[in-house]
Amino acid sequence: MKIIKIFLLFVIILTSCKKNDGVINFTFLQLNDVYEIAPIQGGAFGGMARVETVHKDLLKENKNTMLFMAGDFLNPSLIGTLKVGGERVKGKQMVEVMNAMNFDLVAFGNHEFDVSKDDLQKRLNESNFPWISANVKLKTKDTVSSFYKERKGQQQPVNKTFVKEFTDADGTKIKIGFISVCIPSTPKDHVEYGSMFAEAKASYADLKDRVDLVFGLTHVKLANDKKIAKLLPNLPLIMGGHEHENSINFVGNVQISKADANAKTVFVHRISYDKKTKKTLVTSELKEINIAIKEDEKVAAIVTKWQDVLNTKLKDIIKNPAEVVYTANVPLDGRDAAIRSRQTNLGSVITKAMSFGFNNNVDAALVNGGSIRIDDQLSDAITAVDIFRVLPYGGAVLKVDITGRLLKRVLQYGKLAKGTGAYLQRYNATVVDKAWYIKGKSLNEAKTYTVAFSDYLLKGFDIPFLSDKSAGVLKIYKPSEKELSADIRKVVIAYLKLETKKRAN
């Protein structure tokens, strides 16, 4: 009996002293470009509470799991436009949800700089997760320094790089580093953008001798990610954002991955590293976040709290915010890059609806691309809430009598404003070889036209020579509160309902 006990003890000691094999496995869960905390498309896809269930399952599978956001989450969102306690939300709901999910690392995206300097500082201070960026800096009149979190009067700078250490069950240890850069597409007085490529290269040089592996967490165009991959061929993986459709690309041995926006999908990267051979194996799974995934209760409670606030506000404007008003068999493109540079099908829907709001008794309709804030595509079931997400600031549609001479200047300015919020989405206004046509006929500068404008365009912000006081603006009809055109969102919803009825017949 004594011999058996000694033998068992010997086995236990041997088992507990399992030799370090030099191989370690870890997992990355990647999200990018998430603006909505709740499920989208009638509840079919997305939802941060569902993502958290996936996150917890991965942690059970492997404790060495990290959760990432590759930029763009504070803005735009419909909730972010609301006032709660006298203050605009401006991404507060997203930070609260992400704190509950215990994000491990986030990158700045260009939309983080849509919010004001003060609001961004509040969100940084509220966040419990680390941020990273090598090329965005806080600029004042006198200095350029790192963005920071303020805690108990102390400033904690956002670092250029981030290092994480993993240990597995047999004692294998590894240090991994992360670099990050952001596309300089949102110019602000308080932001200085350094070179994406020079800063990525410098960050890698700083990390490479201090860690076993370096990964990228970026928010730049795919073409820029590919340039970074060429500069840094030893990166096993770049987790990227900015584009809104899932993709995997390779430049040499560097994998570049981007998930779908609004957590329609996430990437699960299972990574194995052999310390002896220095070889890295990345196995990536694109996972759809859908109704089959149960919601995490803790995160769902936070989401519900914010959705209740949203629904309460929306019901003051529209009776049934969750109503499906249209089914888009072809996605309606409201992405910033598209809506601010070319005529899109979503732009056509909005401007046709503006004309519909006046019983099509106008010659044309115009809306500035910057009023369309969803930065995403709408597909399948589209709800009234989705239309509010597209046009969160609302505003009236105005019927304006305008001289052909001024209208031509407006159209030309909107065309030349390609890439900015002043670019015009149009209905019944086309250009061929620099010649403008209204309803298929050459624009006559001596004629008076009746045009449906979004009210923002008559404020002189996007187009400086166009306002309600412009000499070429002859008459403005502003609808009363009871009229459909008093709110551009109501007009679009009513128009889509009509199109749905036409389909049914």
Side-chain angles (χ1 to χ4, degrees), residues 360-411:
N360 295 314
N361 190 26
V362 294
D363 297 305
L366 301 173
V367 64
N368 58 308
S371 288
I372 300 164
R373 305 293 294 172
I374 191 170
D375 196 12
D376 198 2
Q377 296 187 94
L378 293 176
S379 58
D380 301 320
I382 296 174
T383 65
V385 170
D386 288 324
I387 302 307
F388 275 75
R389 288 172 56 217
V390 171
L391 298 158
Y393 299 109
V397 182
L398 308 179
K399 186 163 69 170
V400 180
D401 287 349
I402 184 172
T403 63
R405 184 171 181 271
L406 180 56
L407 178 58
K408 184 177 179 180
R409 285 186 69 199
V410 167
L411 290 169

Side-chain angles (χ1 to χ4, degrees), residues 312-326:
T312 298
K313 298 276 187 180
L314 289 185
K315 283 177 182 176
D316 291 339
I317 306 170
I318 190 166
K319 289 182 181 179
N320 187 5
E323 180 186 7
V324 174
V325 296
Y326 187 73

Side-chain angles (χ1 to χ4, degrees), residues 281-296:
L281 176 64
V282 179
T283 305
S284 298
E285 172 195 359
L286 183 69
K287 187 172 183 64
E288 186 176 270
I289 304 300
N290 57 36
I291 200 166
I293 300 171
K294 186 179 179 181
E295 293 186 335
D296 176 78

Side-chain angles (χ1 to χ4, degrees), residues 425-481:
Q425 294 292 318
R426 310 179 300 271
Y427 174 60
N428 277 346
T430 56
V431 61
V432 180
D433 296 328
K434 298 183 180 180
W436 285 98
Y437 294 82
I438 303 297
K439 284 187 170 181
K441 295 181 180 180
S442 294
L443 188 153
N444 183 348
E445 292 188 39
K447 183 180 175 181
T448 296
Y449 291 92
T450 302
V451 179
F453 281 94
S454 55
D455 64 354
Y456 183 83
L457 278 173
L458 270 294
K459 294 179 180 178
F461 296 135
D462 274 1
I463 302 177
F465 55 82
L466 178 66
S467 75
D468 57 357
K469 296 177 176 61
S470 298
V473 173
L474 306 178
K475 183 179 178 182
I476 298 175
Y477 176 76
K478 185 173 183 179
S480 68
E481 289 185 9

Side-chain angles (χ1 to χ4, degrees), residues 170-201:
D170 65 29
T172 303
K173 289 186 178 181
I174 187 177
K175 279 187 178 180
I176 56 176
F178 297 89
I179 62 173
S180 181
V181 289
C182 175
I183 187 170
S185 63
T186 306
K188 287 295 176 77
D189 290 340
H190 64 281
V191 184
E192 179 171 284
Y193 294 94
S195 165
M196 295 178 286
F197 309 114
E199 292 293 349
K201 195 173 180 180

Side-chain angles (χ1 to χ4, degrees), residues 40 61 64 120 152 231 377 394 398 423 438 444 484 502:
I40 59 174
E61 177 187 300
N64 292 327
L120 176 57
K152 297 180 180 179
L231 282 173
Q377 296 187 94
L398 308 179
Y423 182 84
I438 303 297
N444 183 348
L484 194 62
K502 286 180 181 178

Side-chain angles (χ1 to χ4, degrees), residues 97-377:
V97 165
M98 291 170 68
N99 281 342
M101 295 172 70
N102 297 310
F103 268 76
D104 292 282
L105 189 62
V106 307
F108 283 95
N110 56 293
H111 280 308
E112 270 61 78
F113 303 114
D114 286 344
V115 303
S116 70
K117 176 184 174 182
D118 289 344
D119 284 325
L120 176 57
Q121 190 60 59
K122 288 174 184 176
R123 302 298 87 85
L124 282 161
N125 295 347
E126 291 160 2
S127 63
N128 294 334
F129 42 82
W131 301 59
I132 181 177
S133 183
N135 76 316
V136 296
K137 297 291 183 181
L138 176 62
K139 185 170 65 173
T140 65
K141 283 185 178 180
D142 304 315
T143 62
V144 175
S145 59
S146 298
F147 282 93
Y148 61 88
K149 293 182 187 182
E150 189 168 330
R151 295 287 169 84
K152 297 180 180 179
Q154 298 293 316
Q155 292 185 3
Q156 302 172 358
V158 169
N159 293 322
K160 289 186 174 185
T161 61
F162 184 82
V163 175
K164 176 75 174 181
E165 186 173 293
F166 285 136
T167 305
D168 68 8
D170 65 29
T172 303
K173 289 186 178 181
I174 187 177
K175 279 187 178 180
I176 56 176
F178 297 89
I179 62 173
S180 181
V181 289
C182 175
I183 187 170
S185 63
T186 306
K188 287 295 176 77
D189 290 340
H190 64 281
V191 184
E192 179 171 284
Y193 294 94
S195 165
M196 295 178 286
F197 309 114
E199 292 293 349
K201 195 173 180 180
S203 297
Y204 179 80
D206 175 63
L207 275 178
K208 66 183 179 66
D209 295 327
R210 298 192 286 121
V211 298
D212 297 282
L213 283 171
V214 179
F215 295 89
L217 182 69
T218 64
H219 192 89
V220 301
K221 292 179 180 179
L222 178 58
N224 295 330
D225 274 319
K226 288 180 176 180
K227 288 181 182 178
I228 292 169
K230 284 182 180 178
L231 282 173
L232 305 174
N234 292 320
L235 294 178
L237 173 67
I238 295 174
M239 295 177 284
H242 195 61
E243 280 85 6
H244 285 194
E245 301 80 37
N246 75 79
S247 65
I248 291 185
N249 288 269
F250 288 87
V251 176
N253 293 321
V254 183
Q255 176 180 319
I256 304 165
S257 64
K258 306 197 183 209
D260 292 289
N262 284 320
K264 294 176 189 175
T265 62
V266 297
F267 262 113
V268 178
H269 306 290
R270 292 179 175 86
I271 304 166
S272 182
Y273 178 68
D274 190 322
K275 294 186 73 172
K276 295 174 185 175
T277 65
K278 308 296 182 185
K279 288 186 177 179
T280 308
L281 176 64
V282 179
T283 305
S284 298
E285 172 195 359
L286 183 69
K287 187 172 183 64
E288 186 176 270
I289 304 300
N290 57 36
I291 200 166
I293 300 171
K294 186 179 179 181
E295 293 186 335
D296 176 78
E297 290 184 5
K298 179 182 176 182
V299 174
I302 298 170
V303 172
T304 298
K305 178 189 79 172
W306 284 105
Q307 288 301 113
D308 286 346
V309 171
L310 175 62
N311 288 331
T312 298
K313 298 276 187 180
L314 289 185
K315 283 177 182 176
D316 291 339
I317 306 170
I318 190 166
K319 289 182 181 179
N320 187 5
E323 180 186 7
V324 174
V325 296
Y326 187 73
T327 300
N329 299 322
V330 176
L332 300 179
D333 197 349
R335 293 170 297 176
D336 277 359
I339 209 78
R340 298 180 181 212
S341 62
R342 59 180 174 82
Q343 186 72 35
T344 77
N345 53 0
L346 179 58
S348 294
V349 164
I350 293 168
T351 49
K352 284 178 183 177
M354 292 165 67
S355 174
F356 162 78
F358 293 111
N359 297 313
N360 295 314
N361 190 26
V362 294
D363 297 305
L366 301 173
V367 64
N368 58 308
S371 288
I372 300 164
R373 305 293 294 172
I374 191 170
D375 196 12
D376 198 2
Q377 296 187 94

